[in-house]
Amino acid sequence: MARKFTRKLLAASVAALASIALVSCSGATVEPEEGGGSDATLIFDLGLEMTTLDPGAVFDVSAFIVTTAVYEGLVEYKTGTNEIEPALAESWEVNDDATEHRFKLRDGVTFESGAR
């Protein structure tokens, strides 16, 4: 589904990027509380409406910002490049016709369900 680039979308994108820049430059830190667990609360205010929190279905800037802050992927881009580097996966293999990918997760990774 193609999205039409509009002034509203441009304004939302600029506002989101400005928010990131302000937070990044402010030097503000928040000390994590002990315990956390399933009753922990995350408050993340961009001032923009999000369409989804499904990282596989994100197409707007605000949802991208939130999902990348909340979810960790198997791999990620090396900062400032288009090179792929490990994240949750410490290594991976791809078959000859690129139809299968096998990832080896780093030690200590536990999913929300408790599965390893």
Side-chain angles (χ1 to χ4, degrees), residues 15-30:
L17 293 173
S19 297
I20 293 169
L22 288 174
V23 170
S24 298
C25 296
S26 70
T29 60
V30 177

Side-chain angles (χ1 to χ4, degrees), residues 6 11 17 21 29 49-51 58 65-66 69 72-73 76 84 86 98 100-101 103 113 115:
T6 63
L17 293 173
T29 60
E49 187 174 329
M50 295 182 306
T51 57
V58 167
I65 292 167
V66 173
E72 186 173 4
E76 61 191 10
I84 301 292
E100 294 181 21
H101 297 72
F103 293 91
S113 66

Side-chain angles (χ1 to χ4, degrees), residues 51-79:
T51 57
T52 183
L53 287 178
D54 177 354
V58 167
F59 63 88
D60 61 292
V61 173
S62 55
F64 176 77
I65 292 167
V66 173
T67 56
T68 55
V70 173
Y71 299 105
E72 186 173 4
L74 294 170
V75 295
E76 61 191 10
Y77 287 110
K78 189 178 289 189
T79 304

